[in-house]
Amino acid sequence: MRRITGIVFFLIPFFSLAQTIIQGNITDDIDVISGARVVLKDAEGAIKAYTFSNAEGNYQLQTTIKGGAMLEITALGFNKESIELEIQDQSEMTLDFVLQSEFVALNEMIFQGRKDITQKNDTIIFDAKAFAQGNEEVIEDLLRKIPGLIVESDGTIKVGNQEVEKVMIEGDDFFERGYKILTKNMPAHPVDKIELLQNYSNNRLLKGVEESNRVALNLKLNENAKRIWFGNLTLGHAPFVSENRYLAKANLMNFGKKNKFYFLTNLNNIGYDATGDIRHLIRPLRIGEPASIGDDQSVNNIIHLSAVPPNFDKQRTTFNNAEMLSLNAIFNPTEKLKINTMGFLNWDELDFYRNRETFYSINSLQFINTEDYHLKNKKRVAFGKVDISYNISENEMIEAISKYQNADFSAYSNLIFNSHSTAERYKNPAEFFDQKISYTNKINPQKVVLLTGRFINEKSPQSLHVNRYLFQDLFPEVQADEVNQSVQHTMTFAGFEAHLLDRKKNKNLLEVKLGNAYRKDNLRSGFELLEGEILLNKPENYQNDLAYAVNDLYAKSEYQFTFNNFSITTKLGVHQLFNSLKIENETYSQKPFFINPGIETEWKLNKKNIIRASYSLNRSNADILHVYPGFILTNFNRFQGNHDGFNQLDTSSFLMNYQLGNWTDRFFANTTFLYSQNHDFFSSNSYITPDFTQTQNMLIKDRKLFSAFSSVDYFIKKWDGNMKLNVGYFQSDFKNSVNSSDLRIVETQNLSYGLQYRSVFDGFFNFDAGTEWRQNKISSSTDYSFTDHISFLDVILTFSEKLNLEISSERYTFGNFDSNKTYYFFDFDTRFRLIENKLTLMLSGKNLFNTDSFKSQSISDISITTTNYRLLPRYILLKAEYRF
């Protein structure tokens, strides 16, 4: 807590100075001017604050300077206006401007109007060259330099705290939510502008009608990168290591007006993830949005072989051999017809190494389990998509999206469990087909009707073979030496939805949805006790054969009332369910009816202060994973079973958010509180022994969760940098039962806080530094707690336009060992442009301290686990990039 107090006192001087608000309106002789740049300079001409006029032509900025100042207004196509100010002790100044048109040649106007950041209505435009520092290899590297954009370690891109919907090229979308394939592979040098699209609509006919707070990115290319074939080839090799480390990737592109092509490939065994989570590509989730029926429908696998990496750079523990090929094309045969096609292939072999020691303390029972684990995962994914959209007229369109995936996942593990050899063999061939058709009709500028139909079929069979028998206590009459678990799971979904959006003249919005969603799961599982290849027994309570069907006939409505700066939205969902469960030869049915109400409010106190709040009461239906009655072996020594029968679960939640400023301002703060109560929830009734664990879900009342998160961003002009402060807290309490005990109350608390500073100097030197503390505590019959500390420092040295160097260092400290355990990592990347726009030589060094393992601890209500992970050894990678 002393660290938090110090940070708060450090920030006080920046907020305690007297603020003067300068605001007003900008127009021409006819209309308001949006996107005009407003700059405040002090007496010496130094920029002290800036902003842009919004869609209504209004602007507002804050300053702490006193005395003489200059306010300048510039807008593309208008003469610059400036006015001298004398700022004394005023708390507020109102200054309106009427700009005069600037009559110049078009190319001259573009040149004079060029700015690093401009705004046009809901679009903010960044000049890529103004923010590039020379060390950018792919789009992801460039986006890290754009103010306001956050690129997380896994490649997720956020604006403030909100993830972007997509990353487009010249207005066309290749990958939807799977945009990481683009940002992790496409070279950065062709990009001229980066457009941030606010209030974005995925359907062009909904723009201006739906209530959207979504954001998206659009990459505008240099003129010399349009309508021609171009690309790059990068080859890398690590010659000074015993293992053959390599990287090979290529991009081939042509972005014309009518047709666009983007082909890419990536092969590497240096731990680099070139795809991100491909589930975002195959199943982009847009739950609750227009035409999103079926987005939340998929098969969830029951068998899982554990390969969870520690909470740090995933690339350091990834022993991979990955190959990826993506072929993407967009055709516009006519002005009304667009065809978007994709072919995606991905192969990978992943090795994962860990040693684990777990100390269990359960009532009076105490024991230690040890694991020496090597898991080899193999995967092959083939995915294809065709998206056809046809504009029937200016106000009507129809879209058909077809997807098909054929994949094969397999794994083999070598495990030394409690000093005895154990092997697992796992197979999971999977197939997926998805067809969606949607029709949109914009009846008038304020009213839109959408009709959507969808069909999904998915198959995901699993099998697990273990060459060791650990269940003598469960089946004492059987003398087996191996076990086998099989799961056959298929899912079919069919749904139809009609959606009306009606924006009233007073800006109120009515939404009505009428639909029917049908899902049927067929699940058959078998657990077998073997002696070699001879079947000895199939235990009775460890088999499943069931069909579970749910038909949801629903009506949902929302109405948003708008009163100047205050809005309130009422929500109501009415559901009539028809549940059918067939277990072997017995059939059960249920027809529950329920209503889900909700309310949301938004209050804009002024342009800088916004308060949002929402409350909802939701009832949900139990899915197939909480219905099957027999136990299923989920890994080499763990069974999972369920509470029998139909169940509906009630949850209520309250959320409040306070936003101070906007993410484009010099100061921006965002705080969110969430309280949720599960009035019914599935907890666990576990029987734990040194050899195995058997868990059965049970229905329990009342589980509470509370979370709070606050972030502060402040651009310090005097120091030419951006400071970020994050504080997060999570608390939950639930109940469970272990080894026939009474219900145990388990409380969990997590607190994290950190500070980051990133410079934006004009010179050859820049840096990015941060530190974070994570406190964890869990309480049940005993209390466990520990604190982890993570720090990093990245230094960028731009010696010239041809040569730059980036140095990265990380420090991890774990306070839950007998003595604090600290790890250091040091990496570097350097680039030298040998031939401008043709040949670049690169040198990368990873894990230069050659840290070969990484030890961390985790806690639960019954155990303390110490895990030692194997890391990729040190290597130096020589790379060359050739552009063509």
Side-chain angles (χ1 to χ4, degrees):
M1 293 303 295
R2 288 195 297 269
R3 295 187 180 97
I4 295 180
T5 304
I7 292 171
V8 172
F9 277 106
F10 175 76
L11 292 173
I12 284 176
F14 297 108
F15 306 127
S16 60
L17 299 176
Q19 298 271 345
T20 297
I21 298 176
I22 303 175
Q23 60 186 4
N25 185 261
I26 304 173
T27 64
D28 60 7
D29 294 330
I30 302 174
D31 200 358
V32 299
I33 300 175
S34 62
R37 189 179 188 185
V38 184
V39 178
L40 180 68
K41 298 181 179 180
D42 63 14
E44 286 74 35
I47 297 177
K48 293 299 181 182
Y50 72 91
T51 187
F52 298 93
S53 59
N54 61 18
E56 289 78 35
N58 298 320
Y59 74 92
Q60 184 186 79
L61 51 79
Q62 298 179 357
T63 182
T64 58
I65 67 173
K66 303 298 179 184
M70 177 74 72
L71 191 67
E72 294 181 350
I73 312 296
T74 56
L76 188 63
F78 296 90
N79 292 317
K80 182 172 73 173
E81 290 285 342
S82 60
I83 184 173
E84 294 184 359
L85 305 177
E86 186 67 24
I87 303 176
Q88 299 298 334
D89 295 326
Q90 304 100 315
S91 61
E92 186 174 302
M93 301 176 66
T94 300
L95 299 169
D96 296 332
F97 292 88
V98 179
L99 303 187
Q100 302 299 317
S101 298
E102 179 183 32
F103 298 98
V104 294
L106 180 60
N107 57 352
E108 181 182 358
M109 183 177 70
I110 293 174
F111 176 79
Q112 291 183 352
R114 185 186 178 105
K115 308 177 184 71
D116 295 345
I117 306 175
T118 58
Q119 182 170 0
K120 183 178 181 181
N121 297 325
D122 290 336
T123 302
I124 298 176
I125 306 168
F126 300 90
D127 186 350
K129 294 183 179 62
F131 298 96
Q133 295 174 323
N135 64 332
E136 300 82 18
E137 186 173 350
V138 294
I139 298 296
E140 182 179 273
D141 301 328
L142 176 60
L143 296 180
R144 293 182 192 275
K145 311 296 174 59
I146 303 301
L149 296 187
I150 300 171
V151 182
E152 297 182 342
S153 58
D154 65 351
T156 300
I157 303 170
K158 292 185 176 180
V159 178
N161 296 317
Q162 183 177 359
E163 183 180 358
V164 301
E165 284 288 304
K166 57 185 68 172
V167 179
M168 298 177 286
I169 304 175
E170 292 291 333
D172 279 316
D173 177 27
F174 284 97
F175 300 103
E176 295 184 272
R177 281 291 180 94
Y179 59 78
K180 296 174 189 176
I181 297 175
L182 172 71
T183 57
K184 287 177 173 288
N185 292 278
M186 182 176 171
H189 65 85
V191 178
D192 180 48
K193 298 285 193 304
I194 300 166
E195 294 181 340
L196 173 62
L197 311 178
Q198 303 177 99
N199 303 319
Y200 180 76
S201 294
N202 286 298
N203 186 327
R204 66 174 181 84
L205 295 179
L206 297 181
K207 183 68 175 177
V209 178
E210 71 169 331
E211 191 72 18
S212 170
N213 62 354
R214 295 183 291 272
V215 290
L217 295 179
N218 181 43
L219 307 178
K220 303 289 289 185
L221 305 181
N222 299 316
E223 284 300 320
N224 57 9
K226 298 178 182 179
R227 296 175 292 279
I228 62 168
W229 286 99
F230 72 98
N232 71 326
L233 172 66
T234 302
L235 299 175
H237 182 252
F240 308 118
V241 294
S242 57
E243 299 183 22
N244 183 30
R245 301 287 172 199
Y246 69 90
L247 168 69
K249 61 180 181 179
N251 294 270
L252 179 63
M253 297 158 278
N254 187 316
F255 302 108
K257 285 187 175 181
K258 292 192 65 176
N259 303 319
K260 293 181 174 67
F261 303 92
Y262 180 32
F263 309 143
L264 68 148
T265 185
N266 188 300
L267 303 88
N268 80 88
N269 68 348
I270 60 173
Y272 182 71
D273 181 8
T275 64
D277 191 341
I278 61 174
R279 289 176 299 180
H280 294 209
L281 171 70
I282 298 170
R283 296 184 177 92
L285 289 177
R286 296 194 175 98
I287 298 173
E289 295 186 16
S292 63
I293 183 172
D295 273 12
D296 56 346
Q297 303 299 317
S298 65
V299 168
N300 293 313
N301 286 337
I302 300 173
I303 301 175
H304 300 280
L305 269 62
S306 176
V308 180
N311 190 20
F312 77 114
D313 189 352
K314 182 181 176 182
Q315 188 172 343
R316 300 194 187 279
T317 59
T318 302
F319 292 79
N320 71 326
N321 188 11
E323 302 168 3
M324 183 267 289
L325 175 67
S326 183
L327 307 175
N328 314 275
I330 297 176
F331 304 96
N332 291 273
T334 68
E335 291 184 358
K336 294 186 175 183
L337 179 64
K338 175 180 289 188
I339 304 173
N340 189 334
T341 64
M342 170 191 290
F344 176 81
L345 298 171
N346 183 212
W347 302 265
D348 203 355
E349 296 180 1
L350 290 165
D351 287 278
F352 181 76
Y353 304 86
R354 73 160 186 243
N355 294 318
R356 171 176 289 177
E357 182 180 277
T358 303
F359 170 72
Y360 289 90
S361 179
I362 308 167
N363 303 325
S364 60
L365 176 66
Q366 293 185 345
F367 61 90
I368 295 176
N369 279 346
T370 61
E371 298 178 19
D372 185 354
Y373 190 59
H374 172 205
L375 177 65
K376 179 179 282 293
N377 272 314
K378 294 183 179 181
K379 72 175 181 179
R380 174 196 55 79
V381 178
F383 173 70
K385 184 184 80 167
V386 178
D387 183 347
I388 302 175
S389 60
Y390 181 74
N391 294 309
I392 302 172
S393 66
E394 184 178 346
N395 296 317
E396 287 183 275
M397 65 175 291
I398 188 169
E399 183 177 25
I401 303 175
S402 303
K403 300 178 183 179
Y404 177 75
Q405 173 193 286
N406 186 287
D408 186 71
F409 304 94
S410 62
Y412 180 86
S413 77
N414 287 317
L415 169 66
I416 307 298
F417 178 64
N418 292 342
S419 302
H420 295 283
S421 176
T422 305
E424 299 170 291
R425 294 198 307 270
Y426 171 76
K427 292 184 179 180
N428 175 214
E431 191 174 14
F432 168 77
F433 174 75
D434 182 3
Q435 177 66 62
K436 181 169 74 171
I437 300 176
S438 61
Y439 166 78
T440 309
N441 186 350
K442 195 168 189 177
I443 301 172
N444 59 51
Q446 287 79 38
K447 187 179 295 185
V448 180
V449 173
L450 291 92
L451 303 178
T452 305
R454 192 164 190 176
F455 175 81
I456 302 173
N457 182 261
E458 185 172 5
K459 302 175 183 177
S460 185
Q462 295 179 279
S463 65
L464 175 65
H465 182 86
V466 183
N467 73 343
R468 187 176 169 198
Y469 183 58
L470 297 167
F471 312 111
Q472 192 68 47
D473 290 346
L474 280 175
F475 316 109
E477 72 283 358
V478 181
Q479 300 298 317
D481 54 20
E482 298 183 4
V483 299
N484 191 72
Q485 176 71 62
S486 63
V487 178
Q488 302 291 328
H489 189 181
T490 63
M491 183 273 289
T492 300
F493 173 84
F496 175 81
E497 181 178 86
H499 188 179
L500 169 68
L501 297 94
D502 187 3
R503 175 72 70 173
K504 307 297 183 180
K505 292 183 179 180
N506 56 4
K507 296 186 179 180
N508 292 351
L509 176 63
L510 170 67
E511 289 192 55
V512 177
K513 293 181 182 179
L514 300 175
N516 189 84
Y518 173 81
R519 170 172 173 152
K520 183 177 182 180
D521 290 87
N522 289 285
L523 177 66
R524 177 178 295 177
S525 71
F527 177 65
E528 301 172 337
L529 306 180
L530 308 172
E531 183 178 8
E533 296 183 356
I534 301 174
L535 175 63
L536 300 181
N537 194 4
K538 299 176 75 172
E540 181 179 353
N541 294 325
Y542 295 78
Q543 319 296 319
N544 288 285
D545 186 4
L546 68 152
Y548 182 45
V550 178
N551 191 88
D552 182 8
L553 179 63
Y554 63 88
K556 301 178 182 180
S557 66
E558 296 183 18
Y559 196 90
Q560 182 188 72
F561 300 87
T562 303
F563 311 96
N564 296 324
N565 294 328
F566 181 80
S567 67
I568 182 169
T569 303
T570 58
K571 299 183 177 183
L572 192 67
V574 180
H575 297 263
Q576 175 63 67
L577 267 59
F578 301 89
N579 294 333
S580 174
L581 177 61
K582 182 179 181 180
I583 301 178
E584 296 180 348
N585 296 320
E586 296 290 335
T587 301
Y588 309 89
S589 62
Q590 184 192 46
K591 299 179 181 180
F593 174 84
F594 53 86
I595 298 174
N596 291 335
I599 187 170
E600 295 180 359
T601 63
E602 182 178 275
W603 184 19
K604 296 181 180 179
L605 285 75
N606 51 46
K607 297 177 182 178
K608 297 292 184 180
N609 293 267
I610 302 175
I611 298 175
R612 301 179 180 93
S614 66
Y615 175 81
S616 64
L617 181 61
N618 185 67
R619 173 169 290 186
S620 59
N621 203 45
D623 60 17
I624 182 69
L625 296 184
H626 294 96
V627 171
Y628 68 85
F631 288 98
I632 296 177
L633 186 70
T634 61
N635 63 21
F636 76 97
N637 72 338
R638 185 179 297 272
F639 288 100
Q640 178 68 51
N642 282 296
H643 184 279
D644 291 342
F646 301 109
N647 288 286
Q648 284 77 46
L649 310 178
D650 290 336
T651 302
S652 60
S653 61
F654 173 76
L655 181 143
M656 176 171 286
N657 172 264
Y658 172 65
Q659 179 179 312
L660 175 59
N662 298 293
W663 69 268
T664 53
D665 296 338
R666 287 182 59 191
F667 178 81
F668 174 63
N670 195 294
T671 300
T672 301
F673 300 94
L674 172 65
Y675 176 79
S676 177
Q677 182 172 359
N678 299 108
H679 304 283
D680 314 284
F681 73 99
F682 286 112
S683 186
S684 60
N685 181 13
S686 300
Y687 178 63
I688 300 175
T689 74
D691 286 333
F692 68 89
T693 297
Q694 181 165 279
T695 300
Q696 186 174 28
N697 288 329
M698 61 178 179
L699 194 63
I700 294 181
K701 299 290 185 180
D702 294 331
R703 176 176 62 178
K704 301 178 180 66
L705 300 96
F706 173 76
S707 65
F709 178 79
S710 183
S711 65
V712 176
D713 288 87
Y714 184 62
F715 180 78
I716 306 174
K717 182 63 179 178
K718 184 177 181 179
W719 295 353
D720 285 334
N722 189 79
M723 183 172 62
K724 186 178 184 68
L725 171 67
N726 288 326
V727 179
Y729 177 77
F730 173 82
Q731 178 179 331
S732 71
D733 63 79
F734 62 95
K735 304 169 187 176
N736 64 13
S737 176
V738 180
N739 289 3
S740 302
S741 68
D742 295 332
L743 287 179
R744 308 160 70 246
I745 298 176
V746 181
E747 295 182 354
T748 302
Q749 297 180 49
N750 304 104
L751 173 65
S752 64
Y753 46 94
L755 184 67
Q756 181 179 353
Y757 187 86
R758 181 176 180 177
S759 69
V760 287
F761 303 138
D762 292 332
F764 81 102
F765 170 79
N766 272 286
F767 72 93
D768 187 5
T771 185
E772 183 182 15
W773 289 266
R774 300 170 182 170
Q775 297 180 355
N776 303 272
K777 182 179 180 181
I778 188 165
S779 302
S780 183
S781 56
T782 56
D783 293 347
Y784 301 106
S785 64
F786 64 89
T787 300
D788 296 340
H789 181 207
I790 302 170
S791 300
F792 71 91
L793 173 63
D794 299 336
V795 176
I796 301 172
L797 302 174
T798 306
F799 300 106
S800 67
E801 292 184 357
K802 290 189 174 184
L803 178 64
N804 62 71
L805 171 67
E806 181 175 357
I807 301 171
S808 302
S809 61
E810 299 171 354
R811 179 181 183 271
Y812 297 83
T813 300
F814 298 96
N816 48 331
F817 295 97
D818 293 336
S819 60
N820 287 353
K821 191 70 174 177
T822 302
Y823 296 89
Y824 295 91
F825 296 95
F826 188 79
D827 309 320
F828 76 88
D829 288 282
T830 185
R831 297 170 58 89
F832 177 69
R833 297 178 187 172
L834 186 63
I835 303 176
E836 188 69 22
N837 295 323
K838 278 295 180 182
L839 183 61
T840 300
L841 302 180
M842 294 166 280
L843 185 66
S844 299
K846 301 296 181 183
N847 193 13
L848 297 187
F849 294 145
N850 204 27
T851 305
D852 59 359
S853 63
F854 185 96
K855 183 181 289 187
S856 66
Q857 275 194 349
S858 60
I859 57 177
S860 74
D861 58 309
I862 57 173
S863 65
I864 301 176
T865 301
T866 302
T867 307
N868 196 48
Y869 300 91
R870 179 178 167 185
L871 305 181
L872 265 71
R874 173 178 54 215
Y875 66 87
I876 306 293
L877 192 71
L878 300 173
K879 295 188 291 184
E881 179 197 23
Y882 177 73
R883 301 178 186 176
F884 53 87

